[in-house]
Amino acid sequence: MKLLIAVVQDKDSNRLVDALGQENFKTTKLATTGGFLKEGNTTLMIGCEDDYVDDALKIIKDNCSQREQMVAPISPMGGNADSYIPRPVKVEVGGATVFILPIESFFQF
């Protein structure tokens, strides 16, 4: 058995949870924050048998698209501001980061 921990952008999370549910993958959804943009994201914990890991990864890949987004940079609060660019920049967002962990045992009460 494996535990997949998938960190995805909030915009992709509902579509992904629905797609995983249609294929009978049980998920636990956690609201998380972090990353370069300090925006909200979603962390999904997905437990599955070893034989179904590739199926889960395909669903994640199909439902978490990467795209470009304009972001207003945060102004520096001190230090050297020589490299600060005060106009929006285009960054790539979306996609998924997935960690796969082995599970020694599983209990549900």
Side-chain angles (χ1 to χ4, degrees):
M1 181 170 240
K2 300 286 191 236
L3 174 65
L4 282 66
I5 300 174
V7 181
V8 302
Q9 192 174 37
D10 280 341
K11 292 177 183 175
D12 297 328
S13 66
N14 289 335
R15 181 176 59 250
L16 176 57
V17 169
D18 290 345
L20 288 166
Q22 288 176 0
E23 296 298 322
N24 295 319
F25 286 101
K26 306 243 187 300
T27 62
T28 298
K29 182 177 174 181
L30 306 169
T32 53
T33 304
F36 171 70
L37 301 176
K38 305 290 188 244
E39 289 185 356
N41 52 39
T42 300
T43 299
L44 299 176
M45 297 190 310
I46 307 157
C48 68
E49 296 296 330
D50 293 350
D51 295 340
Y52 298 105
V53 170
D54 289 337
D55 296 337
L57 290 173
K58 181 176 181 344
I59 293 169
I60 294 168
K61 183 177 181 180
D62 290 346
N63 286 278
C64 297
S65 59
Q66 290 187 339
R67 54 199 165 272
E68 291 185 340
Q69 176 178 320
M70 295 299 286
V71 176
I74 300 169
S75 64
M77 296 301 288
N80 189 355
D82 293 339
S83 62
Y84 174 66
I85 302 170
R87 62 179 178 260
V89 293
K90 193 179 287 190
V91 296
E92 191 171 285
V93 297
T97 301
V98 182
F99 302 92
I100 301 174
L101 307 168
I103 300 302
E104 188 173 311
S105 57
F106 167 75
F107 302 98
Q108 187 171 6
F109 301 105

mmCIF file with all atom_site columns, all heavy atoms in Angstrom, residues 42-62:
data_model
loop_
_atom_site.group_PDB
_atom_site.id
_atom_site.type_symbol
_atom_site.label_atom_id
_atom_site.label_alt_id
_atom_site.label_comp_id
_atom_site.label_asym_id
_atom_site.label_entity_id
_atom_site.label_seq_id
_atom_site.pdbx_PDB_ins_code
_atom_site.Cartn_x
_atom_site.Cartn_y
_atom_site.Cartn_z
_atom_site.occupancy
_atom_site.B_iso_or_equiv
_atom_site.pdbx_formal_charge
_atom_site.auth_seq_id
_atom_site.auth_comp_id
_atom_site.auth_asym_id
_atom_site.auth_atom_id
_atom_site.pdbx_PDB_model_num
ATOM 1   N N   . THR A 1 42 ? -3.896 23.190 -2.126  1.00 0.00 ? 42 THR A N   1
ATOM 2   C CA  . THR A 1 42 ? -4.572 22.066 -1.498  1.00 0.00 ? 42 THR A CA  1
ATOM 3   C C   . THR A 1 42 ? -3.637 20.879 -1.479  1.00 0.00 ? 42 THR A C   1
ATOM 4   O O   . THR A 1 42 ? -2.975 20.586 -2.474  1.00 0.00 ? 42 THR A O   1
ATOM 5   C CB  . THR A 1 42 ? -5.858 21.711 -2.278  1.00 0.00 ? 42 THR A CB  1
ATOM 6   O OG1 . THR A 1 42 ? -6.714 22.852 -2.274  1.00 0.00 ? 42 THR A OG1 1
ATOM 7   C CG2 . THR A 1 42 ? -6.584 20.546 -1.663  1.00 0.00 ? 42 THR A CG2 1
ATOM 8   N N   . THR A 1 43 ? -3.590 20.207 -0.336  1.00 0.00 ? 43 THR A N   1
ATOM 9   C CA  . THR A 1 43 ? -2.822 18.984 -0.215  1.00 0.00 ? 43 THR A CA  1
ATOM 10  C C   . THR A 1 43 ? -3.804 17.831 -0.077  1.00 0.00 ? 43 THR A C   1
ATOM 11  O O   . THR A 1 43 ? -4.678 17.853 0.794   1.00 0.00 ? 43 THR A O   1
ATOM 12  C CB  . THR A 1 43 ? -1.881 19.039 1.000   1.00 0.00 ? 43 THR A CB  1
ATOM 13  O OG1 . THR A 1 43 ? -0.977 20.133 0.827   1.00 0.00 ? 43 THR A OG1 1
ATOM 14  C CG2 . THR A 1 43 ? -1.081 17.750 1.128   1.00 0.00 ? 43 THR A CG2 1
ATOM 15  N N   . LEU A 1 44 ? -3.684 16.855 -0.958  1.00 0.00 ? 44 LEU A N   1
ATOM 16  C CA  . LEU A 1 44 ? -4.542 15.676 -0.918  1.00 0.00 ? 44 LEU A CA  1
ATOM 17  C C   . LEU A 1 44 ? -3.737 14.483 -0.446  1.00 0.00 ? 44 LEU A C   1
ATOM 18  O O   . LEU A 1 44 ? -2.617 14.258 -0.914  1.00 0.00 ? 44 LEU A O   1
ATOM 19  C CB  . LEU A 1 44 ? -5.112 15.373 -2.306  1.00 0.00 ? 44 LEU A CB  1
ATOM 20  C CG  . LEU A 1 44 ? -5.988 16.445 -2.937  1.00 0.00 ? 44 LEU A CG  1
ATOM 21  C CD1 . LEU A 1 44 ? -6.379 16.028 -4.349  1.00 0.00 ? 44 LEU A CD1 1
ATOM 22  C CD2 . LEU A 1 44 ? -7.228 16.683 -2.101  1.00 0.00 ? 44 LEU A CD2 1
ATOM 23  N N   . MET A 1 45 ? -4.302 13.735 0.471   1.00 0.00 ? 45 MET A N   1
ATOM 24  C CA  . MET A 1 45 ? -3.703 12.466 0.902   1.00 0.00 ? 45 MET A CA  1
ATOM 25  C C   . MET A 1 45 ? -4.559 11.358 0.289   1.00 0.00 ? 45 MET A C   1
ATOM 26  O O   . MET A 1 45 ? -5.770 11.308 0.497   1.00 0.00 ? 45 MET A O   1
ATOM 27  C CB  . MET A 1 45 ? -3.673 12.368 2.417   1.00 0.00 ? 45 MET A CB  1
ATOM 28  C CG  . MET A 1 45 ? -2.812 13.426 3.052   1.00 0.00 ? 45 MET A CG  1
ATOM 29  S SD  . MET A 1 45 ? -2.488 13.203 4.812   1.00 0.00 ? 45 MET A SD  1
ATOM 30  C CE  . MET A 1 45 ? -4.099 12.937 5.484   1.00 0.00 ? 45 MET A CE  1
ATOM 31  N N   . ILE A 1 46 ? -3.911 10.500 -0.489  1.00 0.00 ? 46 ILE A N   1
ATOM 32  C CA  . ILE A 1 46 ? -4.612 9.466  -1.242  1.00 0.00 ? 46 ILE A CA  1
ATOM 33  C C   . ILE A 1 46 ? -3.968 8.125  -0.902  1.00 0.00 ? 46 ILE A C   1
ATOM 34  O O   . ILE A 1 46 ? -2.788 7.909  -1.171  1.00 0.00 ? 46 ILE A O   1
ATOM 35  C CB  . ILE A 1 46 ? -4.492 9.716  -2.755  1.00 0.00 ? 46 ILE A CB  1
ATOM 36  C CG1 . ILE A 1 46 ? -4.938 11.135 -3.098  1.00 0.00 ? 46 ILE A CG1 1
ATOM 37  C CG2 . ILE A 1 46 ? -5.268 8.670  -3.546  1.00 0.00 ? 46 ILE A CG2 1
ATOM 38  C CD1 . ILE A 1 46 ? -4.365 11.665 -4.393  1.00 0.00 ? 46 ILE A CD1 1
ATOM 39  N N   . GLY A 1 47 ? -4.741 7.255  -0.306  1.00 0.00 ? 47 GLY A N   1
ATOM 40  C CA  . GLY A 1 47 ? -4.243 5.916  -0.019  1.00 0.00 ? 47 GLY A CA  1
ATOM 41  C C   . GLY A 1 47 ? -4.661 4.972  -1.130  1.00 0.00 ? 47 GLY A C   1
ATOM 42  O O   . GLY A 1 47 ? -5.813 4.994  -1.560  1.00 0.00 ? 47 GLY A O   1
ATOM 43  N N   . CYS A 1 48 ? -3.718 4.156  -1.614  1.00 0.00 ? 48 CYS A N   1
ATOM 44  C CA  . CYS A 1 48 ? -4.088 3.188  -2.655  1.00 0.00 ? 48 CYS A CA  1
ATOM 45  C C   . CYS A 1 48 ? -3.134 2.004  -2.651  1.00 0.00 ? 48 CYS A C   1
ATOM 46  O O   . CYS A 1 48 ? -2.015 2.080  -2.153  1.00 0.00 ? 48 CYS A O   1
ATOM 47  C CB  . CYS A 1 48 ? -4.142 3.844  -4.032  1.00 0.00 ? 48 CYS A CB  1
ATOM 48  S SG  . CYS A 1 48 ? -2.579 4.377  -4.709  1.00 0.00 ? 48 CYS A SG  1
ATOM 49  N N   . GLU A 1 49 ? -3.627 0.927  -3.206  1.00 0.00 ? 49 GLU A N   1
ATOM 50  C CA  . GLU A 1 49 ? -2.807 -0.272 -3.349  1.00 0.00 ? 49 GLU A CA  1
ATOM 51  C C   . GLU A 1 49 ? -1.712 -0.016 -4.387  1.00 0.00 ? 49 GLU A C   1
ATOM 52  O O   . GLU A 1 49 ? -1.881 0.811  -5.288  1.00 0.00 ? 49 GLU A O   1
ATOM 53  C CB  . GLU A 1 49 ? -3.666 -1.461 -3.781  1.00 0.00 ? 49 GLU A CB  1
ATOM 54  C CG  . GLU A 1 49 ? -4.719 -1.864 -2.766  1.00 0.00 ? 49 GLU A CG  1
ATOM 55  C CD  . GLU A 1 49 ? -4.119 -2.363 -1.455  1.00 0.00 ? 49 GLU A CD  1
ATOM 56  O OE1 . GLU A 1 49 ? -3.003 -2.923 -1.464  1.00 0.00 ? 49 GLU A OE1 1
ATOM 57  O OE2 . GLU A 1 49 ? -4.779 -2.195 -0.414  1.00 0.00 ? 49 GLU A OE2 1
ATOM 58  N N   . ASP A 1 50 ? -0.612 -0.723 -4.262  1.00 0.00 ? 50 ASP A N   1
ATOM 59  C CA  . ASP A 1 50 ? 0.541  -0.538 -5.148  1.00 0.00 ? 50 ASP A CA  1
ATOM 60  C C   . ASP A 1 50 ? 0.168  -0.624 -6.630  1.00 0.00 ? 50 ASP A C   1
ATOM 61  O O   . ASP A 1 50 ? 0.693  0.120  -7.452  1.00 0.00 ? 50 ASP A O   1
ATOM 62  C CB  . ASP A 1 50 ? 1.621  -1.573 -4.845  1.00 0.00 ? 50 ASP A CB  1
ATOM 63  C CG  . ASP A 1 50 ? 2.259  -1.385 -3.481  1.00 0.00 ? 50 ASP A CG  1
ATOM 64  O OD1 . ASP A 1 50 ? 2.001  -0.342 -2.836  1.00 0.00 ? 50 ASP A OD1 1
ATOM 65  O OD2 . ASP A 1 50 ? 3.015  -2.271 -3.043  1.00 0.00 ? 50 ASP A OD2 1
ATOM 66  N N   . ASP A 1 51 ? -0.750 -1.518 -6.969  1.00 0.00 ? 51 ASP A N   1
ATOM 67  C CA  . ASP A 1 51 ? -1.127 -1.729 -8.370  1.00 0.00 ? 51 ASP A CA  1
ATOM 68  C C   . ASP A 1 51 ? -1.855 -0.538 -8.982  1.00 0.00 ? 51 ASP A C   1
ATOM 69  O O   . ASP A 1 51 ? -1.960 -0.445 -10.208 1.00 0.00 ? 51 ASP A O   1
ATOM 70  C CB  . ASP A 1 51 ? -2.022 -2.968 -8.503  1.00 0.00 ? 51 ASP A CB  1
ATOM 71  C CG  . ASP A 1 51 ? -1.287 -4.251 -8.141  1.00 0.00 ? 51 ASP A CG  1
ATOM 72  O OD1 . ASP A 1 51 ? -0.034 -4.249 -8.155  1.00 0.00 ? 51 ASP A OD1 1
ATOM 73  O OD2 . ASP A 1 51 ? -1.963 -5.253 -7.844  1.00 0.00 ? 51 ASP A OD2 1
ATOM 74  N N   . TYR A 1 52 ? -2.383 0.367  -8.143  1.00 0.00 ? 52 TYR A N   1
ATOM 75  C CA  . TYR A 1 52 ? -3.185 1.481  -8.646  1.00 0.00 ? 52 TYR A CA  1
ATOM 76  C C   . TYR A 1 52 ? -2.478 2.837  -8.583  1.00 0.00 ? 52 TYR A C   1
ATOM 77  O O   . TYR A 1 52 ? -3.071 3.861  -8.912  1.00 0.00 ? 52 TYR A O   1
ATOM 78  C CB  . TYR A 1 52 ? -4.512 1.557  -7.891  1.00 0.00 ? 52 TYR A CB  1
ATOM 79  C CG  . TYR A 1 52 ? -5.354 0.317  -8.093  1.00 0.00 ? 52 TYR A CG  1
ATOM 80  C CD1 . TYR A 1 52 ? -5.467 -0.637 -7.086  1.00 0.00 ? 52 TYR A CD1 1
ATOM 81  C CD2 . TYR A 1 52 ? -6.003 0.096  -9.296  1.00 0.00 ? 52 TYR A CD2 1
ATOM 82  C CE1 . TYR A 1 52 ? -6.217 -1.782 -7.277  1.00 0.00 ? 52 TYR A CE1 1
ATOM 83  C CE2 . TYR A 1 52 ? -6.758 -1.049 -9.498  1.00 0.00 ? 52 TYR A CE2 1
ATOM 84  C CZ  . TYR A 1 52 ? -6.863 -1.990 -8.482  1.00 0.00 ? 52 TYR A CZ  1
ATOM 85  O OH  . TYR A 1 52 ? -7.599 -3.122 -8.682  1.00 0.00 ? 52 TYR A OH  1
ATOM 86  N N   . VAL A 1 53 ? -1.206 2.840  -8.183  1.00 0.00 ? 53 VAL A N   1
ATOM 87  C CA  . VAL A 1 53 ? -0.463 4.102  -8.071  1.00 0.00 ? 53 VAL A CA  1
ATOM 88  C C   . VAL A 1 53 ? -0.372 4.798  -9.425  1.00 0.00 ? 53 VAL A C   1
ATOM 89  O O   . VAL A 1 53 ? -0.617 6.009  -9.528  1.00 0.00 ? 53 VAL A O   1
ATOM 90  C CB  . VAL A 1 53 ? 0.940  3.874  -7.466  1.00 0.00 ? 53 VAL A CB  1
ATOM 91  C CG1 . VAL A 1 53 ? 1.797  5.125  -7.571  1.00 0.00 ? 53 VAL A CG1 1
ATOM 92  C CG2 . VAL A 1 53 ? 0.819  3.437  -6.017  1.00 0.00 ? 53 VAL A CG2 1
ATOM 93  N N   . ASP A 1 54 ? -0.059 4.058  -10.472 1.00 0.00 ? 54 ASP A N   1
ATOM 94  C CA  . ASP A 1 54 ? 0.055  4.670  -11.804 1.00 0.00 ? 54 ASP A CA  1
ATOM 95  C C   . ASP A 1 54 ? -1.274 5.256  -12.272 1.00 0.00 ? 54 ASP A C   1
ATOM 96  O O   . ASP A 1 54 ? -1.302 6.314  -12.903 1.00 0.00 ? 54 ASP A O   1
ATOM 97  C CB  . ASP A 1 54 ? 0.573  3.659  -12.830 1.00 0.00 ? 54 ASP A CB  1
ATOM 98  C CG  . ASP A 1 54 ? 2.044  3.312  -12.614 1.00 0.00 ? 54 ASP A CG  1
ATOM 99  O OD1 . ASP A 1 54 ? 2.762  4.129  -11.995 1.00 0.00 ? 54 ASP A OD1 1
ATOM 100 O OD2 . ASP A 1 54 ? 2.469  2.229  -13.053 1.00 0.00 ? 54 ASP A OD2 1
ATOM 101 N N   . ASP A 1 55 ? -2.384 4.588  -11.940 1.00 0.00 ? 55 ASP A N   1
ATOM 102 C CA  . ASP A 1 55 ? -3.703 5.110  -12.308 1.00 0.00 ? 55 ASP A CA  1
ATOM 103 C C   . ASP A 1 55 ? -3.972 6.434  -11.591 1.00 0.00 ? 55 ASP A C   1
ATOM 104 O O   . ASP A 1 55 ? -4.463 7.387  -12.199 1.00 0.00 ? 55 ASP A O   1
ATOM 105 C CB  . ASP A 1 55 ? -4.798 4.111  -11.947 1.00 0.00 ? 55 ASP A CB  1
ATOM 106 C CG  . ASP A 1 55 ? -4.691 2.806  -12.739 1.00 0.00 ? 55 ASP A CG  1
ATOM 107 O OD1 . ASP A 1 55 ? -4.088 2.822  -13.835 1.00 0.00 ? 55 ASP A OD1 1
ATOM 108 O OD2 . ASP A 1 55 ? -5.199 1.783  -12.252 1.00 0.00 ? 55 ASP A OD2 1
ATOM 109 N N   . ALA A 1 56 ? -3.644 6.501  -10.315 1.00 0.00 ? 56 ALA A N   1
ATOM 110 C CA  . ALA A 1 56 ? -3.844 7.734  -9.544  1.00 0.00 ? 56 ALA A CA  1
ATOM 111 C C   . ALA A 1 56 ? -2.967 8.853  -10.093 1.00 0.00 ? 56 ALA A C   1
ATOM 112 O O   . ALA A 1 56 ? -3.423 9.995  -10.237 1.00 0.00 ? 56 ALA A O   1
ATOM 113 C CB  . ALA A 1 56 ? -3.541 7.490  -8.064  1.00 0.00 ? 56 ALA A CB  1
ATOM 114 N N   . LEU A 1 57 ? -1.724 8.545  -10.422 1.00 0.00 ? 57 LEU A N   1
ATOM 115 C CA  . LEU A 1 57 ? -0.820 9.562  -10.969 1.00 0.00 ? 57 LEU A CA  1
ATOM 116 C C   . LEU A 1 57 ? -1.324 10.099 -12.306 1.00 0.00 ? 57 LEU A C   1
ATOM 117 O O   . LEU A 1 57 ? -1.218 11.294 -12.582 1.00 0.00 ? 57 LEU A O   1
ATOM 118 C CB  . LEU A 1 57 ? 0.594  8.992  -11.124 1.00 0.00 ? 57 LEU A CB  1
ATOM 119 C CG  . LEU A 1 57 ? 1.345  8.718  -9.826  1.00 0.00 ? 57 LEU A CG  1
ATOM 120 C CD1 . LEU A 1 57 ? 2.663  8.006  -10.116 1.00 0.00 ? 57 LEU A CD1 1
ATOM 121 C CD2 . LEU A 1 57 ? 1.578  9.999  -9.039  1.00 0.00 ? 57 LEU A CD2 1
ATOM 122 N N   . LYS A 1 58 ? -1.890 9.228  -13.131 1.00 0.00 ? 58 LYS A N   1
ATOM 123 C CA  . LYS A 1 58 ? -2.431 9.683  -14.417 1.00 0.00 ? 58 LYS A CA  1
ATOM 124 C C   . LYS A 1 58 ? -3.604 10.641 -14.197 1.00 0.00 ? 58 LYS A C   1
ATOM 125 O O   . LYS A 1 58 ? -3.708 11.672 -14.866 1.00 0.00 ? 58 LYS A O   1
ATOM 126 C CB  . LYS A 1 58 ? -2.865 8.493  -15.268 1.00 0.00 ? 58 LYS A CB  1
ATOM 127 C CG  . LYS A 1 58 ? -3.406 8.921  -16.627 1.00 0.00 ? 58 LYS A CG  1
ATOM 128 C CD  . LYS A 1 58 ? -3.743 7.759  -17.499 1.00 0.00 ? 58 LYS A CD  1
ATOM 129 C CE  . LYS A 1 58 ? -4.256 8.116  -18.861 1.00 0.00 ? 58 LYS A CE  1
ATOM 130 N NZ  . LYS A 1 58 ? -4.713 9.435  -19.130 1.00 0.00 ? 58 LYS A NZ  1
ATOM 131 N N   . ILE A 1 59 ? -4.475 10.324 -13.240 1.00 0.00 ? 59 ILE A N   1
ATOM 132 C CA  . ILE A 1 59 ? -5.616 11.199 -12.948 1.00 0.00 ? 59 ILE A CA  1
ATOM 133 C C   . ILE A 1 59 ? -5.122 12.551 -12.452 1.00 0.00 ? 59 ILE A C   1
ATOM 134 O O   . ILE A 1 59 ? -5.629 13.597 -12.867 1.00 0.00 ? 59 ILE A O   1
ATOM 135 C CB  . ILE A 1 59 ? -6.549 10.539 -11.911 1.00 0.00 ? 59 ILE A CB  1
ATOM 136 C CG1 . ILE A 1 59 ? -7.208 9.303  -12.522 1.00 0.00 ? 59 ILE A CG1 1
ATOM 137 C CG2 . ILE A 1 59 ? -7.603 11.531 -11.425 1.00 0.00 ? 59 ILE A CG2 1
ATOM 138 C CD1 . ILE A 1 59 ? -7.932 8.434  -11.520 1.00 0.00 ? 59 ILE A CD1 1
ATOM 139 N N   . ILE A 1 60 ? -4.113 12.540 -11.588 1.00 0.00 ? 60 ILE A N   1
ATOM 140 C CA  . ILE A 1 60 ? -3.553 13.791 -11.078 1.00 0.00 ? 60 ILE A CA  1
ATOM 141 C C   . ILE A 1 60 ? -2.963 14.607 -12.226 1.00 0.00 ? 60 ILE A C   1
ATOM 142 O O   . ILE A 1 60 ? -3.225 15.805 -12.360 1.00 0.00 ? 60 ILE A O   1
ATOM 143 C CB  . ILE A 1 60 ? -2.496 13.522 -9.989  1.00 0.00 ? 60 ILE A CB  1
ATOM 144 C CG1 . ILE A 1 60 ? -3.160 12.898 -8.752  1.00 0.00 ? 60 ILE A CG1 1
ATOM 145 C CG2 . ILE A 1 60 ? -1.765 14.809 -9.608  1.00 0.00 ? 60 ILE A CG2 1
ATOM 146 C CD1 . ILE A 1 60 ? -2.183 12.327 -7.746  1.00 0.00 ? 60 ILE A CD1 1
ATOM 147 N N   . LYS A 1 61 ? -2.182 13.958 -13.069 1.00 0.00 ? 61 LYS A N   1
ATOM 148 C CA  . LYS A 1 61 ? -1.556 14.655 -14.195 1.00 0.00 ? 61 LYS A CA  1
ATOM 149 C C   . LYS A 1 61 ? -2.598 15.229 -15.154 1.00 0.00 ? 61 LYS A C   1
ATOM 150 O O   . LYS A 1 61 ? -2.464 16.363 -15.628 1.00 0.00 ? 61 LYS A O   1
ATOM 151 C CB  . LYS A 1 61 ? -0.630 13.698 -14.944 1.00 0.00 ? 61 LYS A CB  1
ATOM 152 C CG  . LYS A 1 61 ? 0.121  14.346 -16.077 1.00 0.00 ? 61 LYS A CG  1
ATOM 153 C CD  . LYS A 1 61 ? 1.079  13.372 -16.728 1.00 0.00 ? 61 LYS A CD  1
ATOM 154 C CE  . LYS A 1 61 ? 1.841  14.053 -17.849 1.00 0.00 ? 61 LYS A CE  1
ATOM 155 N NZ  . LYS A 1 61 ? 2.774  13.140 -18.503 1.00 0.00 ? 61 LYS A NZ  1
ATOM 156 N N   . ASP A 1 62 ? -3.663 14.484 -15.422 1.00 0.00 ? 62 ASP A N   1
ATOM 157 C CA  . ASP A 1 62 ? -4.694 14.928 -16.362 1.00 0.00 ? 62 ASP A CA  1
ATOM 158 C C   . ASP A 1 62 ? -5.523 16.095 -15.830 1.00 0.00 ? 62 ASP A C   1
ATOM 159 O O   . ASP A 1 62 ? -6.140 16.822 -16.602 1.00 0.00 ? 62 ASP A O   1
ATOM 160 C CB  . ASP A 1 62 ? -5.623 13.774 -16.715 1.00 0.00 ? 62 ASP A CB  1
ATOM 161 C CG  . ASP A 1 62 ? -4.946 12.710 -17.570 1.00 0.00 ? 62 ASP A CG  1
ATOM 162 O OD1 . ASP A 1 62 ? -3.843 12.979 -18.107 1.00 0.00 ? 62 ASP A OD1 1
ATOM 163 O OD2 . ASP A 1 62 ? -5.505 11.602 -17.681 1.00 0.00 ? 62 ASP A OD2 1
#
